[in-house]
């Protein structure tokens, strides 16, 4: 969206700089009709397209976006003196500076705009260029911008570390809840078995024939839930069985499949260490224990 706004603004400058308005010229009726039609569709079409795409703005910018202020800036550029090329370039350079100042502000650097304009004007309007001072300023600017970048990287690293710590804390809490959940299921239903890895499973229906192996492809119906009953994935809800390799799923699911044969129906209780661990996935929080109701429809070796 930022790019769209910029492109439209620059397009306005480009249109304005191609020549003066023909409102004072002696256009034929046919030419005037063409001009009027293009004026209408260009203005109405571009205005509606931009309004339609407003939701692409970052949420914080959209919340304080004032359309009347936008029109004021848009009008100032479009209505500017088309013969004043210097002014047009000033607008373009000024927009670039404004974006850079905003970016710096986001990094905690508060640029004094009035002072920046004063220094800029002094250097630009000077009778001659002090190349020695220019070299010093360029070196200083690079050094200062490097400091901004270093501070930005440090803040990003701190934020990432904080997020990681929060994720690990959430995962530990969820893992403990999951372990308690599985223990409660086993206590309530002694038929639930546990493998050496920690996978717990309940045989709801035993199938026939050989069980799946590491190299098998299986066709299954399944419903995956969190311990609070939230369904995060279900071939049953989609109305179409899934087909995949035994090794293509999380370790606990794959281990459970290797216990099952064609026609079997199991409930798998998969602790986080055999699922997505501390990472989580999509709507699955980190450290989550997963519960799968699985029916094996077919096994291909």
């Amino acid at each position: 969206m930022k790019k769209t706004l910029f492109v439209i603004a620059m397009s306005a400058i480009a249109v304005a700089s191609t020549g003066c308005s023909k409102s004072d010229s002696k256009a034929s009726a046919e030419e005037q009709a063409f001009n009027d039609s293009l004026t209408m569709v260009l203005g109405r079409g571009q205005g509606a397209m931009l309004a339609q795409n407003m939701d692409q703005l970052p949420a914080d910018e959209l919340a304080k976006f004032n359309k009347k202020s936008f029109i004021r800036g848009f009008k100032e550029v479009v209505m500017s003196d088309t013969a004043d090329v210097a002014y047009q370039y000033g607008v373009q350079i000024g927009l670039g500076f404004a974006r850079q100042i905003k970016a710096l502000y986001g990094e905690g650097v508060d640029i004094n705009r009035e002072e920046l304009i004063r220094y800029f004007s002094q250097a630009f309007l000077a009778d001659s260029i002090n190349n020695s001072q220019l070299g010093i300023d360029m070196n200083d600017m690079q050094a200062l911008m490097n400091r901004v970048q270093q501070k930005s990287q440090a803040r990003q690293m701190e934020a990432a570390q904080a997020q990681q710590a929060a994720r690990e804390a959430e995962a530990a809490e969820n893992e403990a809840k999951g372990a308690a959940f599985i223990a409660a299921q086993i206590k309530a239903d002694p038929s639930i078995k546990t493998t050496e890895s920690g996978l717990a499973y309940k045989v709801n229906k035993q199938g026939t024939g050989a069980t799946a192996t590491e190299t098998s492809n299986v066709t299954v119906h399944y419903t995956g839930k969190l311990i609070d009953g939230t369904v995060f994935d279900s071939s049953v809800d989609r109305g179409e069985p899934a087909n995949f390799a035994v090794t293509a799923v999380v370790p606990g699911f794959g281990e459970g499949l290797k216990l099952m044969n064609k026609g079997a129906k199991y409930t798998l209780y998969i602790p986080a260490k055999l699922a997505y661990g501390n990472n989580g996935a999509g709507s699955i929080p980190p450290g989550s224990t997963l519960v799968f109701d699985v029916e094996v429809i077919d096994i291909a070796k």
Side-chain angles (χ1 to χ4, degrees), residues 259-279:
L259 299 173
M260 303 174 70
N261 46 20
K262 184 175 180 179
K265 295 182 179 181
Y266 281 26
T267 299
L268 307 177
Y269 302 92
I270 306 175
K273 66 179 181 179
L274 299 178
Y276 294 102
N278 287 355
N279 296 320

Side-chain angles (χ1 to χ4, degrees), residues 26-299:
K26 296 180 180 179
S28 68
E30 182 180 356
E31 289 175 329
Q32 190 59 51
F34 174 84
N35 294 344
D36 291 344
S37 295
L38 182 57
T39 298
M40 179 184 69
V41 297
L42 184 62
R44 196 163 63 193
Q46 292 293 314
M49 184 176 67
L50 187 60
Q52 187 179 53
N53 289 288
M54 286 297 295
D55 59 355
Q56 295 179 30
L57 273 173
D60 60 327
E61 294 186 5
L62 183 59
K64 55 188 178 184
F65 192 95
N66 186 303
K67 287 189 174 182
K68 290 185 178 180
S69 292
F70 173 84
I71 291 297
R72 178 164 50 85
F74 180 78
K75 181 178 179 180
E76 183 174 339
V77 174
V78 174
M79 296 298 292
S80 64
D81 183 356
T82 58
D84 192 348
V85 177
Y87 175 81
Q88 303 292 341
Y89 279 121
V91 170
Q92 294 184 54
I93 298 300
L95 286 171
F97 264 82
R99 285 192 297 274
Q100 187 173 15
I101 290 169
K102 181 180 178 181
L104 287 169
Y105 186 80
E107 298 296 341
V109 180
D110 190 3
I111 296 294
N112 185 316
R113 297 181 187 224
E114 292 290 344
E115 285 294 283
L116 182 143
I117 293 170
R118 183 173 69 83
Y119 286 123
F120 181 95
S121 300
Q122 285 177 352
F124 186 72
L125 297 174
D127 293 333
S128 61
I129 298 173
N130 185 334
N131 287 314
S132 176
Q133 184 62 53
L134 176 60
I136 294 172
D137 287 343
M138 290 297 99
N139 288 334
D140 287 347
M141 182 176 69
Q142 186 61 56
L144 292 169
M145 292 304 293
N146 286 342
R147 283 178 57 187
V148 172
Q149 185 176 18
Q150 290 166 1
K151 289 181 178 180
S152 176
Q153 291 172 342
R155 280 195 297 272
Q156 290 174 5
M157 184 175 294
E158 289 175 3
Q161 290 172 342
Q163 289 177 351
Q164 179 64 24
R167 185 162 52 246
E168 289 176 356
E170 181 185 7
E173 181 179 357
N174 288 336
E175 193 169 353
K177 289 179 179 178
F181 173 82
I182 292 177
Q185 300 305 305
I186 294 173
K187 183 177 180 180
D189 187 350
S191 70
I192 296 175
K193 299 177 182 179
T194 305
T195 67
E196 186 176 345
S197 70
L199 171 69
Y201 66 96
K202 175 179 174 62
V203 179
N204 299 309
K205 177 186 174 184
Q206 196 59 271
T208 58
T211 59
T213 67
E214 192 79 8
T215 59
S216 296
N217 278 356
V218 294
T219 301
V220 301
H221 257 318
Y222 67 88
T223 296
K225 298 175 288 186
L226 303 177
I227 61 174
D228 65 0
T230 301
V231 174
F232 59 82
D233 191 13
S234 175
S235 67
V236 177
D237 290 348
R238 290 193 295 272
E240 184 177 356
N243 182 275
F244 46 74
V246 167
T247 55
V249 290
V250 294
F253 200 161
E255 182 182 354
L257 289 171
K258 287 186 285 185
L259 299 173
M260 303 174 70
N261 46 20
K262 184 175 180 179
K265 295 182 179 181
Y266 281 26
T267 299
L268 307 177
Y269 302 92
I270 306 175
K273 66 179 181 179
L274 299 178
Y276 294 102
N278 287 355
N279 296 320
S283 61
I284 301 173
S288 291
T289 290
L290 309 182
V291 181
F292 281 94
D293 291 315
V294 186
E295 176 186 4
V296 174
I297 298 171
D298 197 11
I299 299 173

